[in-house]
CSV table of all heavy atoms in Angstrom, one decimal:
chain,number,residue,atom,x,y,z
S,25,VAL,N,4.7,-14.8,7.8
S,25,VAL,CA,4.1,-15.2,9.1
S,25,VAL,C,2.7,-15.7,8.8
S,25,VAL,O,1.9,-14.9,8.3
S,25,VAL,CB,4.2,-14.0,10.1
S,25,VAL,CG1,3.5,-14.4,11.4
S,25,VAL,CG2,5.6,-13.5,10.2
S,26,GLY,N,2.3,-16.8,9.2
S,26,GLY,CA,0.9,-17.3,9.1
S,26,GLY,C,0.2,-17.0,10.5
S,26,GLY,O,0.8,-17.1,11.6
S,27,ILE,N,-1.0,-16.4,10.3
S,27,ILE,CA,-1.8,-16.0,11.4
S,27,ILE,C,-3.2,-16.8,11.5
S,27,ILE,O,-3.8,-16.8,10.4
S,27,ILE,CB,-2.0,-14.5,11.5
S,27,ILE,CG1,-0.7,-13.8,11.4
S,27,ILE,CG2,-2.9,-14.1,12.6
S,27,ILE,CD1,-0.7,-12.8,10.4
S,28,GLU,N,-3.5,-17.3,12.6
S,28,GLU,CA,-4.8,-18.1,12.7
S,28,GLU,C,-5.8,-17.2,13.4
S,28,GLU,O,-5.5,-16.7,14.6
S,28,GLU,CB,-4.6,-19.4,13.4
S,28,GLU,CG,-3.7,-20.3,12.5
S,28,GLU,CD,-3.2,-21.5,13.3
S,28,GLU,OE1,-3.6,-21.7,14.4
S,28,GLU,OE2,-2.4,-22.3,12.7
S,29,LEU,N,-7.0,-16.9,12.8
S,29,LEU,CA,-8.0,-16.1,13.3
S,29,LEU,C,-9.0,-17.0,14.2
S,29,LEU,O,-9.1,-18.2,13.8
S,29,LEU,CB,-8.7,-15.3,12.3
S,29,LEU,CG,-7.8,-14.5,11.4
S,29,LEU,CD1,-8.8,-13.6,10.5
S,29,LEU,CD2,-7.0,-13.4,12.2
S,30,PRO,N,-9.6,-16.4,15.1
S,30,PRO,CA,-10.6,-17.2,15.9
S,30,PRO,C,-11.7,-17.8,15.0
S,30,PRO,O,-12.3,-18.9,15.3
S,30,PRO,CB,-11.2,-16.2,16.9
S,30,PRO,CG,-10.2,-15.1,17.0
S,30,PRO,CD,-9.5,-15.1,15.6
S,31,SER,N,-12.0,-17.2,13.8
S,31,SER,CA,-13.0,-17.6,13.0
S,31,SER,C,-12.6,-18.9,12.2
S,31,SER,O,-13.4,-19.5,11.5
S,31,SER,CB,-13.4,-16.5,12.0
S,31,SER,OG,-12.2,-16.2,11.2
S,32,GLY,N,-11.3,-19.2,12.3
S,32,GLY,CA,-10.9,-20.3,11.5
S,32,GLY,C,-10.1,-19.9,10.2
S,32,GLY,O,-9.5,-20.6,9.6
S,33,ASP,N,-10.4,-18.6,9.9
S,33,ASP,CA,-9.7,-18.0,8.7
S,33,ASP,C,-8.2,-17.9,9.0
S,33,ASP,O,-7.8,-17.8,10.2
S,33,ASP,CB,-10.3,-16.6,8.4
S,33,ASP,CG,-11.7,-16.7,7.7
S,33,ASP,OD1,-11.7,-17.5,6.7
S,33,ASP,OD2,-12.6,-16.0,8.2
S,34,LYS,N,-7.4,-18.0,7.9
S,34,LYS,CA,-6.0,-17.8,8.2
S,34,LYS,C,-5.5,-16.6,7.3
S,34,LYS,O,-6.1,-16.3,6.2
S,34,LYS,CB,-5.2,-19.0,7.6
S,34,LYS,CG,-5.5,-20.2,8.6
S,34,LYS,CD,-4.8,-21.5,8.2
S,34,LYS,CE,-5.1,-22.6,9.3
S,34,LYS,NZ,-4.3,-23.8,8.9
S,35,LEU,N,-4.5,-15.8,7.9
S,35,LEU,CA,-4.0,-14.7,7.1
S,35,LEU,C,-2.5,-15.1,7.0
S,35,LEU,O,-1.9,-15.8,7.7
S,35,LEU,CB,-4.1,-13.4,7.9
S,35,LEU,CG,-5.5,-12.8,8.1
S,35,LEU,CD1,-5.4,-11.6,9.0
S,35,LEU,CD2,-6.1,-12.5,6.8
S,36,VAL,N,-1.9,-14.4,5.9
S,36,VAL,CA,-0.4,-14.6,5.7
S,36,VAL,C,0.2,-13.2,5.5
S,36,VAL,O,-0.5,-12.5,4.8
S,36,VAL,CB,-0.1,-15.4,4.5
S,36,VAL,CG1,1.4,-15.3,4.2
S,36,VAL,CG2,-0.6,-16.9,4.5
S,37,ALA,N,1.1,-12.9,6.3
S,37,ALA,CA,1.7,-11.6,6.3
S,37,ALA,C,3.2,-11.8,5.9
S,37,ALA,O,3.9,-12.7,6.4
S,37,ALA,CB,1.6,-10.8,7.6
S,38,VAL,N,3.7,-10.7,5.1
S,38,VAL,CA,5.2,-10.7,4.9
S,38,VAL,C,5.8,-9.5,5.5
S,38,VAL,O,5.2,-8.4,5.2
S,38,VAL,CB,5.5,-10.7,3.3
S,38,VAL,CG1,6.9,-10.4,3.1
S,38,VAL,CG2,5.2,-12.1,2.8
S,39,ILE,N,6.6,-9.6,6.5
S,39,ILE,CA,7.2,-8.5,7.1
S,39,ILE,C,8.7,-8.7,7.2
S,39,ILE,O,9.2,-9.8,6.7
S,39,ILE,CB,6.7,-8.4,8.6
S,39,ILE,CG1,7.1,-9.6,9.4
S,39,ILE,CG2,5.1,-8.2,8.6
S,39,ILE,CD1,6.7,-9.5,10.9
S,40,THR,N,9.4,-7.7,7.5
S,40,THR,CA,10.9,-8.0,7.5
S,40,THR,C,11.3,-8.9,8.6
S,40,THR,O,10.7,-9.0,9.7
S,40,THR,CB,11.7,-6.6,7.8
S,40,THR,OG1,11.4,-6.1,9.0
S,40,THR,CG2,11.4,-5.7,6.6
S,41,LEU,N,12.4,-9.6,8.4
S,41,LEU,CA,13.0,-10.5,9.4
S,41,LEU,C,13.3,-9.9,10.7
S,41,LEU,O,13.1,-10.3,11.8
S,41,LEU,CB,14.3,-11.3,8.8
S,41,LEU,CG,14.9,-12.4,9.6
S,41,LEU,CD1,13.9,-13.4,9.9
S,41,LEU,CD2,16.1,-12.8,8.8
S,42,GLU,N,13.8,-8.6,10.6
S,42,GLU,CA,14.1,-7.7,11.7
S,42,GLU,C,12.9,-7.6,12.6
S,42,GLU,O,13.1,-7.7,13.9
S,42,GLU,CB,14.6,-6.4,11.3
S,42,GLU,CG,16.0,-6.3,11.0
S,42,GLU,CD,16.9,-6.7,12.2
S,42,GLU,OE1,16.7,-6.1,13.3
S,42,GLU,OE2,17.7,-7.6,12.0
S,43,SER,N,11.7,-7.4,12.0
S,43,SER,CA,10.5,-7.3,12.8
S,43,SER,C,10.1,-8.6,13.5
S,43,SER,O,9.7,-8.7,14.7
S,43,SER,CB,9.4,-6.7,11.9
S,43,SER,OG,9.6,-5.5,11.6
S,44,VAL,N,10.4,-9.7,12.9
S,44,VAL,CA,10.0,-11.0,13.5
S,44,VAL,C,10.9,-11.1,14.8
S,44,VAL,O,10.4,-11.6,15.7
S,44,VAL,CB,10.4,-12.1,12.5
S,44,VAL,CG1,10.3,-13.5,13.2
S,44,VAL,CG2,9.3,-12.2,11.3
S,45,LYS,N,12.2,-10.7,14.6
S,45,LYS,CA,13.1,-10.8,15.8
S,45,LYS,C,12.7,-9.9,16.8
S,45,LYS,O,12.5,-10.2,18.0
S,45,LYS,CB,14.5,-10.5,15.3
S,45,LYS,CG,15.1,-11.7,14.5
S,45,LYS,CD,16.6,-11.2,14.1
S,45,LYS,CE,17.1,-12.2,13.0
S,45,LYS,NZ,18.3,-11.7,12.4
S,46,SER,N,12.4,-8.6,16.5
S,46,SER,CA,12.2,-7.6,17.5
S,46,SER,C,10.8,-7.8,18.2
S,46,SER,O,10.6,-7.5,19.3
S,46,SER,CB,12.3,-6.2,17.0
S,46,SER,OG,11.1,-5.7,16.5
S,47,LEU,N,9.9,-8.4,17.5
S,47,LEU,CA,8.4,-8.7,18.1
S,47,LEU,C,8.5,-10.1,18.7
S,47,LEU,O,7.5,-10.5,19.2
S,47,LEU,CB,7.4,-8.5,17.1
S,47,LEU,CG,7.2,-7.2,16.4
S,47,LEU,CD1,6.0,-7.2,15.5
S,47,LEU,CD2,7.1,-6.1,17.3
S,48,GLN,N,9.6,-10.8,18.5
S,48,GLN,CA,9.7,-12.2,19.0
S,48,GLN,C,8.5,-13.0,18.5
S,48,GLN,O,7.8,-13.7,19.4
S,48,GLN,CB,9.9,-12.1,20.5
S,48,GLN,CG,11.2,-11.4,20.9
S,48,GLN,CD,11.3,-11.3,22.4
S,48,GLN,OE1,10.6,-10.6,23.0
S,48,GLN,NE2,12.4,-12.0,23.0
S,49,LEU,N,8.3,-13.0,17.3
S,49,LEU,CA,7.2,-13.7,16.7
S,49,LEU,C,7.5,-15.2,16.6
S,49,LEU,O,8.4,-15.7,16.0
S,49,LEU,CB,6.7,-13.2,15.4
S,49,LEU,CG,6.1,-11.8,15.3
S,49,LEU,CD1,5.9,-11.3,14.0
S,49,LEU,CD2,4.9,-11.6,16.2
S,50,THR,N,6.7,-16.0,17.4
S,50,THR,CA,6.9,-17.5,17.3
S,50,THR,C,5.5,-18.1,17.4
S,50,THR,O,4.5,-17.5,17.8
S,50,THR,CB,7.7,-18.1,18.5
S,50,THR,OG1,7.2,-17.4,19.7
S,50,THR,CG2,9.2,-17.6,18.4
S,51,PRO,N,5.3,-19.3,16.9
S,51,PRO,CA,4.1,-20.0,16.9
S,51,PRO,C,3.4,-20.0,18.2
S,51,PRO,O,4.1,-20.2,19.3
S,51,PRO,CB,4.3,-21.4,16.4
S,51,PRO,CG,5.5,-21.2,15.5
S,51,PRO,CD,6.4,-20.1,16.2
S,52,GLY,N,2.1,-19.6,18.3
S,52,GLY,CA,1.3,-19.6,19.5
S,52,GLY,C,1.2,-18.2,20.1
S,52,GLY,O,0.4,-18.1,21.0
S,53,LYS,N,2.1,-17.2,19.6
S,53,LYS,CA,1.9,-15.9,20.2
S,53,LYS,C,0.8,-15.1,19.7
S,53,LYS,O,0.5,-15.2,18.5
S,53,LYS,CB,3.3,-15.2,19.8
S,53,LYS,CG,3.4,-13.8,20.5
S,53,LYS,CD,4.8,-13.4,20.5
S,53,LYS,CE,4.9,-12.1,21.3
S,53,LYS,NZ,6.5,-11.8,21.7
S,54,PRO,N,0.0,-14.4,20.6
S,54,PRO,CA,-1.1,-13.6,20.2
S,54,PRO,C,-0.5,-12.4,19.4
S,54,PRO,O,0.6,-11.9,19.5
S,54,PRO,CB,-1.7,-13.1,21.4
S,54,PRO,CG,-1.2,-13.9,22.6
S,54,PRO,CD,0.2,-14.4,22.0
S,55,VAL,N,-1.2,-12.0,18.3
S,55,VAL,CA,-0.8,-11.0,17.4
S,55,VAL,C,-2.0,-10.3,16.8
S,55,VAL,O,-3.1,-10.8,16.8
S,55,VAL,CB,0.1,-11.8,16.2
S,55,VAL,CG1,-0.8,-12.5,15.3
S,55,VAL,CG2,0.9,-10.8,15.6
S,56,LEU,N,-1.7,-9.0,16.4
S,56,LEU,CA,-2.8,-8.2,15.8
S,56,LEU,C,-2.3,-8.0,14.3
S,56,LEU,O,-1.2,-7.8,14.1
S,56,LEU,CB,-2.9,-6.9,16.4
S,56,LEU,CG,-3.5,-6.8,17.8
S,56,LEU,CD1,-3.5,-5.4,18.3
S,56,LEU,CD2,-5.0,-7.3,17.9
S,57,ALA,N,-3.3,-8.2,13.4
S,57,ALA,CA,-3.0,-8.0,12.0
S,57,ALA,C,-3.7,-6.6,11.7
S,57,ALA,O,-4.9,-6.5,11.8
S,57,ALA,CB,-3.5,-9.1,11.1
S,58,LEU,N,-3.0,-5.6,11.2
S,58,LEU,CA,-3.5,-4.3,10.8
S,58,LEU,C,-3.5,-4.1,9.4
S,58,LEU,O,-2.4,-4.3,8.6
S,58,LEU,CB,-2.7,-3.2,11.5
S,58,LEU,CG,-2.9,-3.1,13.0
S,58,LEU,CD1,-2.0,-4.1,13.8
S,58,LEU,CD2,-2.4,-1.7,13.5
S,59,ILE,N,-4.6,-3.7,8.8
S,59,ILE,CA,-4.6,-3.5,7.3
S,59,ILE,C,-5.4,-2.2,7.0
S,59,ILE,O,-6.7,-2.0,7.4
S,59,ILE,CB,-5.3,-4.6,6.6
S,59,ILE,CG1,-4.8,-6.0,7.0
S,59,ILE,CG2,-5.4,-4.5,5.1
S,59,ILE,CD1,-5.7,-7.1,6.9
S,60,LYS,N,-4.8,-1.2,6.3
S,60,LYS,CA,-5.6,0.0,5.9
S,60,LYS,C,-6.5,-0.4,4.9
S,60,LYS,O,-6.3,-1.2,4.0
S,60,LYS,CB,-4.5,1.0,5.4
S,60,LYS,CG,-3.8,1.8,6.5
S,60,LYS,CD,-3.0,3.0,5.9
S,60,LYS,CE,-3.9,4.0,5.3
S,60,LYS,NZ,-3.5,5.4,5.4
S,61,ALA,N,-7.6,0.4,4.9
S,61,ALA,CA,-8.8,0.2,4.0
S,61,ALA,C,-8.4,0.3,2.5
S,61,ALA,O,-8.9,-0.5,1.7
S,61,ALA,CB,-9.9,1.1,4.3
S,62,PRO,N,-7.5,1.2,2.1
S,62,PRO,CA,-7.2,1.3,0.7
S,62,PRO,C,-6.3,0.1,0.2
S,62,PRO,O,-6.1,0.1,-1.0
S,62,PRO,CB,-6.4,2.7,0.6
S,62,PRO,CG,-6.6,3.3,1.9
S,62,PRO,CD,-6.8,2.3,2.8
S,63,TRP,N,-5.8,-0.7,1.1
S,63,TRP,CA,-5.0,-1.8,0.7
S,63,TRP,C,-5.8,-3.1,0.5
S,63,TRP,O,-5.3,-4.2,0.1
S,63,TRP,CB,-4.0,-2.1,1.8
S,63,TRP,CG,-3.1,-0.9,2.1
S,63,TRP,CD1,-3.0,0.2,1.4
S,63,TRP,CD2,-2.3,-0.8,3.2
S,63,TRP,NE1,-2.1,1.1,2.0
S,63,TRP,CE2,-1.7,0.5,3.1
S,63,TRP,CE3,-1.9,-1.6,4.3
S,63,TRP,CZ2,-0.7,0.9,4.1
S,63,TRP,CZ3,-0.9,-1.1,5.3
S,63,TRP,CH2,-0.4,0.1,5.1
S,64,VAL,N,-7.1,-2.9,0.6
S,64,VAL,CA,-8.1,-4.2,0.4
S,64,VAL,C,-8.7,-4.0,-1.0
S,64,VAL,O,-9.3,-3.0,-1.3
S,64,VAL,CB,-9.2,-4.1,1.5
S,64,VAL,CG1,-10.1,-5.3,1.3
S,64,VAL,CG2,-8.5,-4.2,2.9
S,65,MET,N,-8.6,-5.1,-1.7
S,65,MET,CA,-9.3,-5.2,-3.0
S,65,MET,C,-10.5,-6.1,-2.8
S,65,MET,O,-10.5,-6.9,-2.1
S,65,MET,CB,-8.3,-5.9,-4.0
S,65,MET,CG,-8.9,-6.1,-5.4
S,65,MET,SD,-7.7,-6.7,-6.6
S,65,MET,CE,-8.0,-8.5,-6.4
S,66,LEU,N,-11.6,-5.7,-3.5
S,66,LEU,CA,-12.8,-6.5,-3.4
S,66,LEU,C,-13.1,-7.3,-4.7
S,66,LEU,O,-12.7,-6.9,-5.8
S,66,LEU,CB,-14.1,-5.6,-3.1
S,66,LEU,CG,-14.0,-4.9,-1.8
S,66,LEU,CD1,-15.2,-4.0,-1.6
S,66,LEU,CD2,-13.9,-5.8,-0.6
S,67,MET,N,-13.7,-8.4,-4.5
S,67,MET,CA,-13.9,-9.3,-5.7
S,67,MET,C,-15.3,-10.0,-5.5
S,67,MET,O,-15.6,-10.4,-4.3
S,67,MET,CB,-12.9,-10.4,-5.7
S,67,MET,CG,-13.0,-11.5,-6.8
S,67,MET,SD,-11.4,-12.5,-7.0
S,67,MET,CE,-11.3,-13.2,-5.4
S,68,THR,N,-16.1,-9.8,-6.5
S,68,THR,CA,-17.5,-10.4,-6.3
S,68,THR,C,-17.6,-11.7,-7.1
S,68,THR,O,-18.6,-12.5,-6.9
S,68,THR,CB,-18.6,-9.4,-6.8
S,68,THR,OG1,-18.2,-9.0,-8.1
S,68,THR,CG2,-18.7,-8.2,-6.0
S,69,ASP,N,-16.8,-11.9,-8.0
S,69,ASP,CA,-16.9,-13.1,-8.9
S,69,ASP,C,-15.4,-13.7,-9.1
S,69,ASP,O,-14.6,-13.1,-9.8
S,69,ASP,CB,-17.5,-12.7,-10.2
S,69,ASP,CG,-17.4,-13.9,-11.2
S,69,ASP,OD1,-17.2,-15.0,-10.8
S,69,ASP,OD2,-17.7,-13.7,-12.4
S,70,ALA,N,-15.2,-14.8,-8.5
S,70,ALA,CA,-13.8,-15.4,-8.5
S,70,ALA,C,-13.6,-16.4,-9.6
S,70,ALA,O,-12.7,-17.2,-9.7
S,70,ALA,CB,-13.4,-15.9,-7.2
S,71,SER,N,-14.8,-16.6,-10.3
S,71,SER,CA,-14.8,-17.7,-11.4
S,71,SER,C,-13.7,-17.4,-12.4
S,71,SER,O,-13.5,-16.3,-12.9
S,71,SER,CB,-16.1,-17.8,-12.0
S,71,SER,OG,-16.4,-16.7,-12.8
S,72,GLY,N,-12.9,-18.5,-12.8
S,72,GLY,CA,-12.0,-18.3,-13.9
S,72,GLY,C,-10.7,-17.6,-13.6
S,72,GLY,O,-9.8,-17.4,-14.4
S,73,ILE,N,-10.4,-17.4,-12.2
S,73,ILE,CA,-9.2,-16.8,-11.9
S,73,ILE,C,-8.7,-17.3,-10.5
S,73,ILE,O,-9.5,-17.7,-9.6
S,73,ILE,CB,-9.4,-15.2,-11.8
S,73,ILE,CG1,-8.1,-14.5,-11.7
S,73,ILE,CG2,-10.4,-14.9,-10.7
S,73,ILE,CD1,-7.4,-14.2,-13.0
S,74,ARG,N,-7.4,-17.4,-10.5
S,74,ARG,CA,-6.7,-17.7,-9.2
S,74,ARG,C,-5.7,-16.6,-9.0
S,74,ARG,O,-4.9,-16.2,-10.0
S,74,ARG,CB,-6.1,-19.1,-9.2
S,74,ARG,CG,-7.1,-20.2,-9.1
S,74,ARG,CD,-6.4,-21.6,-8.9
S,74,ARG,NE,-5.5,-21.8,-10.0
S,74,ARG,CZ,-4.3,-22.3,-9.7
S,74,ARG,NH1,-3.9,-22.6,-8.5
S,74,ARG,NH2,-3.4,-22.5,-10.7
S,75,LEU,N,-5.7,-16.0,-7.8
S,75,LEU,CA,-4.8,-14.9,-7.5
S,75,LEU,C,-3.6,-15.2,-6.7
S,75,LEU,O,-3.5,-16.2,-5.8
S,75,LEU,CB,-5.6,-13.8,-6.8
S,75,LEU,CG,-6.8,-13.2,-7.6
S,75,LEU,CD1,-7.6,-12.3,-6.7
S,75,LEU,CD2,-6.3,-12.5,-8.9
S,76,SER,N,-2.5,-14.4,-6.8
S,76,SER,CA,-1.3,-14.5,-6.1
S,76,SER,C,-1.5,-14.0,-4.7
S,76,SER,O,-0.8,-14.4,-3.8
S,76,SER,CB,-0.1,-13.8,-6.7
S,76,SER,OG,-0.4,-12.3,-6.7
S,77,ALA,N,-2.5,-13.1,-4.4
S,77,ALA,CA,-2.7,-12.5,-3.1
S,77,ALA,C,-3.0,-13.7,-2.2
S,77,ALA,O,-3.9,-14.5,-2.5
S,77,ALA,CB,-3.8,-11.5,-3.1
S,78,ARG,N,-2.4,-13.7,-1.0
S,78,ARG,CA,-2.5,-14.8,-0.2
S,78,ARG,C,-3.7,-14.8,0.7
S,78,ARG,O,-4.0,-15.8,1.5
S,78,ARG,CB,-1.2,-14.9,0.7
S,78,ARG,CG,0.0,-15.1,-0.1
S,78,ARG,CD,0.1,-16.4,-0.8
S,78,ARG,NE,0.2,-17.5,0.3
S,78,ARG,CZ,1.3,-17.8,0.9
S,78,ARG,NH1,2.4,-17.3,0.6
S,78,ARG,NH2,1.2,-18.8,1.8
S,79,ASN,N,-4.4,-13.6,0.9
S,79,ASN,CA,-5.5,-13.4,1.8
S,79,ASN,C,-6.8,-13.1,1.1
S,79,ASN,O,-6.8,-12.2,0.3
S,79,ASN,CB,-5.1,-12.4,2.8
S,79,ASN,CG,-3.8,-12.7,3.5
S,79,ASN,OD1,-3.8,-13.6,4.3
S,79,ASN,ND2,-2.8,-11.9,3.2
Side-chain angles (χ1 to χ4, degrees):
Chain S
V25 180
I27 301 133
E28 293 166 8
L29 304 183
S31 59
D33 285 311
K34 291 182 182 184
L35 295 177
V36 173
V38 168
I39 64 175
T40 61
L41 184 58
E42 273 301 305
S43 290
V44 167
K45 290 177 186 168
S46 88
L47 301 184
Q48 298 177 291
L49 296 177
T50 47
K53 186 157 185 166
V55 74
L56 293 176
L58 290 76
I59 307 154
K60 278 194 63 144
W63 303 348
V64 179
M65 182 175 87
L66 296 180
M67 180 164 61
T68 51
D69 172 14
S71 64
I73 190 85
R74 288 188 304 136
L75 297 175
S76 65
R78 301 291 298 281
N79 301 293

